[in-house]
Amino acid sequence: MKHLSHPEIWFVCGSQHLYGPGPLKQVAAHAQAVAAALAASKRLPLRTVCKALLTTPDEITNVMLAANTDANCAGLILWMHTFSPAKMWIRGLNLVRKPFLHLHTQFNRDLPWGTIDMDFMNLNQAAHGDREAGFIHTRMRLGRKVVVGHWADPEVQDRIGAWMRAARAWHDWQGAKFARFGDNMRQVAVTEGDKVSAEMKLGFATNGYGVGDLVAKVDAVKDSAITALCAEYEQAYKVVPALKKGGARHDELRYSARLELGLEGFLAEGGFKGFTDTFEDLHGLRQLPGMATQRLMAAGYGFGGEGDWKTAALVRAMKVMGAGLEGGTSFMEDYTYHLAPRGHQVLGAHMLEICPSIAAGRPAAEIHPLGIGGKEDPVRLVFDAPAGPALNASLVDLGNRFRLVVNEVTAVKPPKLPKLPVARAVWECSPDFKTACAAWILAGGAHHTGYSYAVTAEMLEDFATIAGIELVAITAGTRLADFKQTLRNNEVYYHLAQGIRA
Ligand code: MN
């Protein structure tokens, strides 16, 4: 995956000097053991490093400052093995800018009922030490994830793993760059937004580039590179005969390869993690990039159609979250509905740009007219997305804040669609179609989404917590009346919590 980094998570254990050097040595050894177990766990995508046993305000502050400036630190796990008076933490917690998870665990799983004495009681105090920590986190209004249970419990590790994936995506966004070729599809509202606010709040920069800058790159691609890439296509996909070498339309496949190599060169040179384009500004390009964009998404780039930079950034973040897991992530659009009484379904697709990381089988490379934009016929990969649990996520700008809208769905095997010349997914919404769509529309969720089989609602919830943005999840338990009230409550909460710095 392009530009995927492997940051570390710092494991930090809190205590105090009241206990004396002997017990503190044991506390430190326990912290090392827990961190080592997390570091070795296959359930956790990032390496955990035991950073410190912290017992004074200065030590705590220094570790927090070091975390801020260490580019390889994506976040911290805090655990109070013993009682660590929380006023010691105020200065450090005021300064820390990295995400943190509060792990409420204890070293021993079982209590040794027959031998337990006051030494044991004094050493194993997370049950009250972590409550003291939780108070100061809440008192300071710090967003964090709290995970409860024994550190070796697989369920506990999975919850830490979900947070690590969110922390990794957040780490990936900080300083990330997204290229916007052309501007927006004219008159469209939901793909607009405040790019200044996004950079302040979310850490990534979106800047516009004239499509002419891309055309120069595309035109400069060498014929030999195009020939090699076309040969790769014939290996990887079911290329229709007309597009194959010697076929009547092979030149159009070659142009698609030229687009891919030109785009890739532009993105690589600028260090971009994603891009947008729009069919309303393709001056100098013969086709809207179809297969080119699909393949770049599969390589890890975020993408949003029609200038949708928020979705491009979100797709990138979701690809980072899902890295290494089964199931892919794509740009998606709610396209059209099947409203049969026995089961309402959504047909998701786009004009062209669905990522083959969600293909159920070997995609076909085909060429068809686009019917919009007045350009030559674009080459595209056509495939079905598989059945299984998935979700859609949408990042919208409400003017005073960003809202992340999530809907859990169940994808089904698409029926035969012999006339549909684009990649597609068919899904059913949770809790049901009518509730889900009403909730989505009331929340202002876009028609464009990040669609994923790998990312979970928990990861996105953790991500929103880290970002300090609003999350509304539409899941099996959603009731419309409660959902509407949540939206109303959130209007007030985020207005007050954020102040005037939006
Ligand atoms: Mn679209």
Side-chain angles (χ1 to χ4, degrees), residues 305-306 331 333 350-351 447-448:
E306 295 95 47
F331 172 61
E333 180 167 312
H350 203 250
M351 290 191 295
H447 59 292
H448 285 168

Side-chain angles (χ1 to χ4, degrees), residues 76-413:
L76 303 100
I77 296 175
L78 308 186
W79 171 44
M80 307 301 137
H81 185 311
T82 43
F83 198 85
S84 184
K87 282 165 72 179
M88 297 199 306
W89 288 77
I90 292 173
R91 189 152 51 100
L93 290 172
N94 255 338
L95 293 166
V96 72
R97 304 274 299 156
K98 295 287 169 88
F100 75 90
L101 176 149
H102 183 187
L103 178 59
H104 184 44
T105 190
Q106 66 181 15
F107 184 69
N108 53 299
R109 194 194 68 184
D110 301 338
L111 279 182
W113 300 105
T115 59
I116 194 165
D117 57 14
M118 275 323 283
D119 285 346
F120 183 95
M121 295 283 275
N122 285 333
L123 189 64
N124 297 284
Q125 297 184 332
H128 59 283
D130 273 329
R131 287 167 203 256
E132 168 75 354
F135 166 73
I136 206 66
H137 302 158
T138 293
R139 173 68 179 81
M140 295 175 74
R141 272 73 173 177
L142 299 174
R144 77 282 189 189
K145 184 174 194 175
V146 179
V147 175
V148 179
H150 192 252
W151 47 273
D153 177 351
E155 194 267 340
V156 166
Q157 293 193 358
D158 285 346
R159 297 204 61 214
I160 298 171
W163 174 82
M164 281 186 179
R165 290 180 176 281
R168 188 184 207 177
W170 179 252
H171 183 261
D172 183 77
W173 260 11
Q174 305 313 300
K177 295 192 288 180
F178 293 88
R180 200 180 195 211
F181 296 113
D183 192 74
N184 205 37
M185 178 179 167
R186 285 185 277 277
Q187 316 275 18
V188 175
V190 76
T191 48
E192 294 281 12
D194 186 339
K195 297 195 281 293
V196 173
S197 185
E199 194 163 343
M200 284 165 59
K201 191 83 190 162
L202 307 174
F204 65 80
T206 305
N207 285 294
Y209 294 85
V211 74
D213 296 338
L214 174 59
V215 170
K217 276 268 174 237
V218 167
D219 289 349
V221 173
K222 289 198 169 63
D223 282 341
S224 57
I226 292 172
T227 302
L229 188 54
C230 285
E232 195 183 316
Y233 294 162
E234 292 203 24
Q235 288 295 314
Y237 312 118
K238 291 178 279 187
V239 179
V240 294
L243 288 175
K244 281 189 173 170
K245 194 171 179 186
R249 306 192 74 175
H250 183 63
D251 180 56
E252 286 155 285
L253 185 73
R254 288 186 66 84
Y255 188 71
S256 181
R258 177 180 288 283
L259 278 177
E260 178 179 334
L261 292 165
L263 261 168
E264 190 176 29
F266 188 100
L267 298 173
E269 196 174 294
F272 296 104
K273 289 177 173 170
F275 66 102
T276 74
D277 58 20
T278 167
F279 63 87
E280 286 184 327
D281 186 359
L282 295 173
H283 298 289
L285 297 179
R286 281 165 47 188
Q287 307 170 348
L288 174 66
M291 184 161 76
T293 296
Q294 291 178 290
R295 284 174 47 86
L296 289 168
M297 254 193 284
Y301 289 105
F303 174 77
E306 295 95 47
D308 191 347
W309 54 275
K310 295 189 301 299
T311 303
L314 181 62
V315 167
R316 166 67 189 185
M318 290 170 73
K319 282 180 174 286
V320 172
M321 278 180 229
L325 294 176
E326 285 287 310
T329 296
S330 179
F331 172 61
M332 187 57 74
E333 180 167 312
D334 292 82
Y335 224 104
T336 193
Y337 294 145
H338 180 60
L339 299 179
R342 284 173 59 193
H344 289 19
Q345 295 175 327
V346 182
L347 171 56
H350 203 250
M351 290 191 295
L352 303 168
E353 310 93 335
I354 300 298
C355 178
S357 69
I358 64 164
R362 190 160 169 249
E366 302 180 10
I367 184 161
H368 304 276
L370 191 59
I372 193 167
K375 287 283 171 177
E376 292 180 18
D377 298 351
V379 178
R380 78 287 306 275
L381 295 172
V382 179
F383 54 85
D384 287 345
L391 59 71
N392 275 302
S394 166
L395 183 65
V396 293
D397 183 345
L398 294 180
N400 65 345
R401 67 186 188 277
F402 292 99
R403 169 182 280 166
L404 185 58
V405 188
V406 177
N407 184 207
E408 291 180 331
V409 303
T410 304
V412 300
K413 188 176 162 27

